Amino acid sequence: MGHTIGRVIAVLLLVLGFAAPAAAGPLQEALAAYNRGDYAMAERLWRPLAEQGDAEAQNNLGGMYYNGEGVPQDDAEAVKWYRKAADQGFRGAQYNLGIVYEHGRGVPQDDAEAVKWYKLAAEKGLADAQSNLAIMYEHGRGVPQNDAEAVKWYRLAAEQGRSRRSK
């Protein structure tokens, strides 16, 4: 009886030991790989998820192409993945599309299009997008200059601790 309980406990510990990493999931495993600089592993884990339509993986894969991390730097490929995620409402990708349109990387430079994407992300509470949108209103880039709108978005960003432009 004692050996049986011991075996059951050993099996449970073994199963739980394997279950914990599996519970983390490939998104989290890829993020951990990315954070330790193992971009090849991050790309291998994110790509199938991105191809299956996972918006977070699509956004992250876009970032890898934008920065040339583990893949050749390719602005057009970055935009492709950002757009897939942004079209699903992923606020980080919407913000990233704002960046690429503002700076003309992988797309023609277009302040109005940048504002469109910043606003979508800003309305979902993304502080970096709120800050960048405020700047666009302050300087009349892509929208009519509007101090009241600029202050509104600066205030929302500041309430989240964001105090300067993000790139």
Side-chain angles (χ1 to χ4, degrees):
M1 178 85 175
H3 291 310
T4 305
I5 292 173
R7 271 190 238 143
V8 169
I9 291 172
V11 169
L12 282 174
L13 290 173
L14 186 62
V15 168
L16 291 174
F18 286 116
L27 269 175
Q28 292 78 13
E29 290 174 29
L31 183 58
Y34 179 87
N35 287 337
R36 68 176 177 266
D38 188 351
Y39 302 131
M41 176 60 75
E43 188 269 337
R44 278 195 304 273
L45 291 168
W46 276 328
R47 183 170 300 280
L49 296 172
E51 289 170 349
Q52 293 167 13
D54 184 284
E56 185 174 351
Q58 290 169 337
N59 180 63
N60 294 345
L61 193 56
M64 293 183 78
Y65 277 105
Y66 188 80
N67 295 310
E69 297 167 324
V71 294
Q73 195 284 324
D74 185 335
D75 290 338
E77 191 70 8
V79 169
K80 175 185 106 173
W81 289 109
Y82 287 155
R83 188 170 305 281
K84 286 176 182 278
D87 287 344
Q88 294 184 67
F90 192 79
R91 70 183 193 170
Q94 291 169 333
Y95 166 75
N96 288 332
L97 280 177
I99 293 286
V100 299
Y101 276 103
E102 182 179 359
H103 298 285
R105 280 192 56 185
V107 293
Q109 194 281 332
D110 184 335
D111 285 342
E113 194 69 10
V115 166
K116 169 189 151 183
W117 291 108
Y118 285 149
K119 190 166 191 176
L120 285 169
E123 288 171 344
K124 291 179 179 147
L126 189 63
D128 288 341
Q130 293 168 339
S131 179
N132 285 12
L133 183 58
I135 290 166
M136 301 301 269
Y137 275 109
E138 179 182 6
H139 298 286
R141 293 187 52 207
V143 290
Q145 193 279 333
N146 185 325
D147 289 338
E149 276 296 300
V151 168
K152 168 188 155 183
W153 291 110
Y154 277 131
R155 182 170 288 125
L156 288 169
E159 287 170 0
Q160 296 185 69
R162 185 78 185 124
S163 61
R164 61 188 186 106
R165 180 176 191 78
S166 55
K167 296 190 183 204

